Amino acid sequence: RRIRKLVDNSYNSDPRIIAFRKADIDEKAAKKKAKADAIKAKKEEEERLKKEAEEKERQEKEEAQKVEKAKQEAEKKEKEAQKKLIRNERKKLRDLAKEHNMFADNEADKLDRLTEIEKICTEYTFQQIQDLNKRLEDNSTVRDVFLAELDKKKEAERVKIVEQTRSGSGSEKVSSSTKEWSHDDLQLLVKAVNLFPAGTQQRWEVCAEFINQHTKSEGVVRQAKETLAKAKDLQSGNFALSSIKEEVNKLAYENLQKGQKRDVVVESAASQRTETPAEALGFNNEPWNSEEQKLLEQALKTFPSSTPERWERIAEAIPGRSKKDCMKRYKELAELIRAKKAAQAAAKKS
C-alpha cells in the first residue's frame, strides 16, 4: 500500500502528466466549441438563405402585381377606347337617321324606325355598326340600305328562334318559345309579381318557382329569364299589366262562382231571391280596400286567439264585413304567406 500510494503521488505530481491532462481537457473544450460554432454557423446560414428566399419571393410578387396592374390598366384603357369608338358610331348612326327622317316615308313609321335604330345600337357590335354607317354614307338610297339591313336582322333572329326551337324540341321541359302562356299561368304570374315585389332576393327565380309549383300545365317548367321576359312583355306591349290583372281576376271570380254550391233553400214558391250565391252564404264580394285591411290587421292584434268570440268582435270592428268575410280574408292571407315562403325556399335550394 505504501508503494502504491507513493506511485500515485508521484504520478499526480508529475508536471508532464499535469500538462498532458490539461492538453486533453483543452482539446475536448476546443472540439466542443468548434461543434457549437458549426451548429450556430449552420443555423445562421439557413436563416440567411430563408430571408433571401422570402425577399426574392416578395420582389417577384411585387413585380407580378405591377405587371398585372399595368395589364389591367391597359385593358381598361382599351375598353374605354372601344366604348368611345362605339359611342361615336352609335351617334353617327343616330345623326344619319335624323338627317334622313328616320328612314321613314311617313310619320307613322318614324316611331318604329326609331325603335329599330335603338335595337341596332344596343345589339350590334362596333364592327357591325361601323360597316352599316359606311354603307349608309356611301350609298345615295340610304333608306333602301337601312330597310335591307332590317330584313337581314329579322331573318337572323328568325333563324335563331328556329334553331332554339329545334334544340329544345327533344327536351321534356318546354320553354315559353314553344309553349304559350295560358290564362292560368298569366294569373299565377300576376299573383307572383304581387307576392314578391321589387327588392326580393332572387325575385324572378322565386316567381318562376311559384308558377311551377301551382301551374296546371303538364310538362311545362318556367325559367327565371322567360318569366322576367313575359312580365316585361306584358308591361311594355299592347297588353297593359293592369288589363291583364283585370282579365285574370275576372276569370278567377268566374271560376269561383262556378265552383260554389248553389243550394239555396226556397222559403215559398212566390218568394224571389235577388242575392248572389256568395251573399246567400254570408260573403261580401266587394274587394278589400286598404282601410279595411288596416282595420283587420289592427283587430287581429287587439283580439288574440285566446279572446272569446274572437271573430265576432273582429267583424264588429270592420263596418260592412261579416264574420265569414274576416275569416275568409285571414285564410287567404295565410295561404299567400305560406306560398311565398315555399317559393323562396325552393328558389334557394335550386
Side-chain angles (χ1 to χ4, degrees):
R1 288 182 181 179
R2 291 178 181 176
I3 294 172
R4 181 65 184 171
K5 186 174 180 180
L6 178 63
V7 171
D8 290 341
N9 288 334
S10 299
Y11 185 82
N12 292 332
S13 301
D14 191 342
R16 293 171 298 175
I17 300 299
I18 293 172
F20 176 77
R21 287 180 177 176
K22 187 174 181 301
D24 186 51
I25 292 172
D26 293 341
E27 184 182 358
K28 289 181 179 180
K31 288 181 179 180
K32 186 177 180 180
K33 185 175 182 299
K35 186 177 179 181
D37 292 341
I39 294 173
K40 184 178 179 181
K42 185 179 179 181
K43 286 184 178 179
E44 289 178 351
E45 182 66 15
E46 288 176 352
E47 289 179 359
R48 184 184 66 80
L49 293 174
K50 184 179 179 181
K51 287 181 180 179
E52 288 180 355
E54 290 176 351
E55 181 66 18
K56 184 179 179 181
E57 184 180 356
R58 185 185 64 80
Q59 291 178 356
E60 290 177 352
K61 188 176 180 181
E62 288 180 354
E63 190 66 25
Q65 288 177 349
K66 288 180 181 178
V67 173
E68 183 65 23
K69 187 176 180 181
K71 184 180 177 182
Q72 290 177 355
E73 289 178 354
E75 290 177 353
K76 185 178 179 182
K77 289 181 180 179
E78 185 178 355
K79 286 181 180 179
E80 289 176 353
Q82 289 291 334
K83 287 180 180 178
K84 187 176 180 180
L85 290 173
I86 198 169
R87 279 198 301 266
N88 293 337
E89 293 298 329
R90 287 172 179 170
K91 185 177 182 299
K92 187 185 292 185
L93 178 59
R94 293 187 180 104
D95 292 341
L96 285 170
K98 289 180 182 178
E99 290 175 6
H100 296 88
N101 197 28
M102 297 298 169
F103 309 113
D105 287 337
N106 50 61
E107 293 296 324
D109 293 339
K110 286 182 68 174
L111 182 59
D112 293 336
R113 296 286 188 272
L114 178 61
T115 304
E116 293 296 336
I117 290 168
E118 290 303 319
K119 282 185 179 179
I120 288 174
C121 290
T122 305
E123 298 173 4
Y124 275 26
T125 63
F126 167 72
Q127 294 294 338
Q128 289 175 315
I129 299 176
Q130 188 181 45
D131 179 61
L132 177 59
N133 286 336
K134 286 181 180 179
R135 285 188 281 121
L136 290 172
E137 289 175 343
D138 298 341
N139 202 309
S140 57
T141 57
V142 290
R143 180 176 174 275
D144 294 337
V145 174
F146 183 75
L147 293 178
E149 184 67 24
L150 283 185
D151 292 338
K152 180 181 175 183
K153 179 174 174 290
K154 290 178 180 177
E155 179 64 20
E157 291 176 351
R158 188 188 67 79
V159 171
K160 184 178 179 181
I161 292 174
V162 170
E163 290 177 354
Q164 288 178 350
T165 305
R166 288 176 180 173
S167 62
S169 60
S171 176
E172 295 180 357
K173 296 184 178 181
V174 184
S175 65
S176 60
S177 60
T178 58
K179 182 69 176 179
E180 295 294 331
W181 285 71
S182 63
H183 288 295
D184 291 335
D185 289 344
L186 288 175
Q187 183 179 357
L188 288 172
L189 174 59
V190 174
K191 192 173 183 180
V193 170
N194 291 331
L195 270 176
F196 310 105
T200 305
Q201 289 186 353
Q202 296 181 328
R203 183 190 185 193
W204 295 108
E205 286 80 357
V206 174
C207 288
E209 189 63 34
F210 177 83
I211 294 171
N212 294 333
Q213 287 178 356
H214 298 84
T215 185
K216 296 178 181 178
S217 304
E218 295 183 359
V220 177
V221 179
R222 304 292 180 188
Q223 303 298 330
K225 289 184 178 179
E226 64 180 289
T227 305
L228 173 59
K230 188 62 179 176
K232 287 184 177 179
D233 184 42
L234 294 178
Q235 289 177 335
S236 61
N238 296 328
F239 306 96
L241 188 59
S242 58
S243 64
I244 294 294
K245 284 183 182 178
E246 292 175 2
E247 181 182 354
V248 295
N249 287 337
K250 183 179 177 182
L251 289 171
Y253 178 72
E254 290 176 356
N255 293 334
L256 176 65
Q257 292 290 75
K258 290 178 183 178
Q260 285 177 343
K261 295 181 180 180
R262 289 180 169 80
D263 298 335
V264 180
V265 179
V266 180
E267 296 178 357
S268 63
S271 65
Q272 294 181 354
R273 187 167 300 279
T274 58
E275 58 189 6
T276 63
E279 291 172 345
L281 293 173
F283 292 107
N284 184 353
N285 287 328
E286 293 294 326
W288 285 69
N289 56 40
S290 58
E291 186 63 30
E292 290 175 335
Q293 181 65 31
K294 289 180 182 178
L295 290 173
L296 176 62
E297 293 173 1
Q298 184 59 43
L300 289 171
K301 295 177 183 178
T302 305
F303 305 110
S305 57
S306 59
T307 305
E309 299 180 353
R310 183 193 186 196
W311 291 106
E312 287 81 356
R313 294 191 179 187
I314 291 174
E316 290 175 359
I318 308 172
R321 295 293 178 179
S322 65
K323 170 185 173 182
K324 291 184 178 180
D325 290 332
C326 296
M327 293 176 70
K328 181 183 176 185
R329 180 64 175 173
Y330 177 78
K331 289 179 180 178
E332 290 175 352
L333 294 174
E335 182 182 351
L336 289 176
I337 292 172
R338 283 196 297 270
K340 184 175 181 179
K341 289 182 178 179
Q344 286 178 333
K348 287 181 179 178
K349 288 181 181 178
S350 60

